[in-house]
Amino acid sequence: MNKLYIAGAGAGKTTFLVKKALRLADEQILITTYTNNNSKEIEKKFIEFHGCVPRNVTILPWVSFLLQHGAKPFSNKVLRDGDIKGFWLVNNKSTPYLGEEKGGDRYFLNSQRQIYSDKLSKFVCCCDERSNGHVFLRLSYLFSYVFIDEAQDLNGWDFEVVKLLSRTINNLILVGDPRQKILSTHYDLKNKNITIENIRKIAKNIEIDFCSGTEFPNDLS
């Protein structure tokens, strides 16, 4: 079952994900979150509850997840010349949106072949389309469960990634609090009116649980 839990600060959203993962010792689990700091906090919680991060659990910041499991393995499906050499953070829109057909590699990459931060999620979706869905099919073979922490910071093409994930991963769990949104990886008209609260507009197979106050469900089944 794919599910989004919306709860306030202090409700124990991250703890919920960690404890649920610990109950799934026989499953391969990916936990992704927007910031490096929160990735470290997740690791600390595993150490607190279990003494270490279990071998069946992979923890990746969102950008690393997109690069390692979406962009780099399938870059030849979109790029004409070579591989992606890294990630380039932009504060506003990157190079003019010329369109993939005219811009080619220059549309997604700078001169050092680093992918622009505002085009990474879109690039992953393009790779999936041009590989006939193999980006997210591959993920479904690698991981039985995908957990997304800090889901309130998703925006634009990120929601397309979640939509495609929800179609191939049968156990996708997101947690977040819209009132804590502080980050935005890119600025795009794509899905500009979508937030986690109305994510079902594009991902209809994700159930939403609006947890009241700071009470978070103790449902670890």
Side-chain angles (χ1 to χ4, degrees), residues 2-178:
N2 299 327
K3 197 158 187 177
L4 163 65
Y5 293 96
I6 295 179
K13 298 183 290 296
T14 302
T15 296
F16 167 79
L17 294 181
V18 169
K19 288 185 174 180
K20 188 170 183 68
L22 289 173
R23 291 173 62 94
L24 298 167
D26 296 328
E27 305 288 352
Q28 291 299 314
I29 302 166
L30 169 67
I31 304 178
T32 183
T33 182
Y34 249 75
T35 65
N36 292 330
N37 285 340
N38 202 53
S39 295
K40 293 176 182 177
E41 287 301 314
I42 293 171
E43 292 177 3
K44 288 180 181 178
K45 285 189 179 294
F46 273 109
I47 293 170
E48 176 186 347
F49 295 126
H50 188 66
C52 65
V53 178
R55 290 186 177 182
N56 65 307
V57 175
T58 300
I59 303 170
L60 288 173
W62 182 253
V63 167
S64 299
F65 158 60
L66 293 178
L67 284 171
Q68 292 182 29
H69 291 287
K72 289 189 174 182
F74 295 90
S75 61
N76 65 335
K77 298 296 183 181
V78 178
L79 303 179
R80 294 191 300 270
D81 180 24
D83 199 2
I84 297 169
K85 302 300 183 183
F87 177 77
W88 185 258
L89 181 64
V90 295
N91 294 323
N92 295 296
K93 285 186 178 181
S94 55
T95 55
Y97 280 59
L98 304 174
E100 291 90 334
E101 295 79 12
K102 294 181 180 179
D105 291 20
R106 292 183 295 109
Y107 174 80
F108 289 106
L109 308 176
N110 65 15
S111 59
Q112 286 75 46
R113 301 199 61 79
Q114 298 167 314
I115 193 164
Y116 294 112
S117 59
D118 62 332
K119 293 173 181 171
L120 177 55
S121 294
K122 182 175 183 178
F123 183 80
V124 170
C125 294
C126 289
C127 288
D128 188 68
E129 179 182 359
R130 297 186 188 184
S131 66
N132 295 318
H134 279 74
V135 171
F136 294 95
L137 183 62
R138 174 179 176 271
L139 274 164
S140 72
Y141 291 145
L142 293 174
F143 303 104
S144 301
Y145 288 77
V146 174
F147 298 165
I148 301 178
D149 201 359
E150 296 182 326
Q152 70 272 359
D153 292 320
L154 297 168
N155 65 296
W157 280 91
D158 295 337
F159 286 114
E160 294 298 310
V161 171
V162 171
K163 178 179 72 176
L164 293 169
L165 269 173
S166 72
R167 292 176 177 177
T168 53
I169 300 291
N170 294 323
N171 299 290
L172 174 64
I173 299 177
L174 306 90
V175 299
D177 176 9

Side-chain angles (χ1 to χ4, degrees), residues 3-4 6 148 151 154 158-160 162-163 166 172 174 193-208 210:
K3 197 158 187 177
L4 163 65
I6 295 179
I148 301 178
L154 297 168
D158 295 337
F159 286 114
E160 294 298 310
V162 171
K163 178 179 72 176
S166 72
L172 174 64
L174 306 90
N193 295 320
I194 301 294
T195 67
I196 60 170
E197 294 172 288
N198 62 11
I199 195 172
R200 283 178 55 83
K201 286 185 176 181
I202 64 167
K204 299 185 184 301
N205 57 344
I206 297 178
E207 295 184 6
I208 302 179
F210 291 91

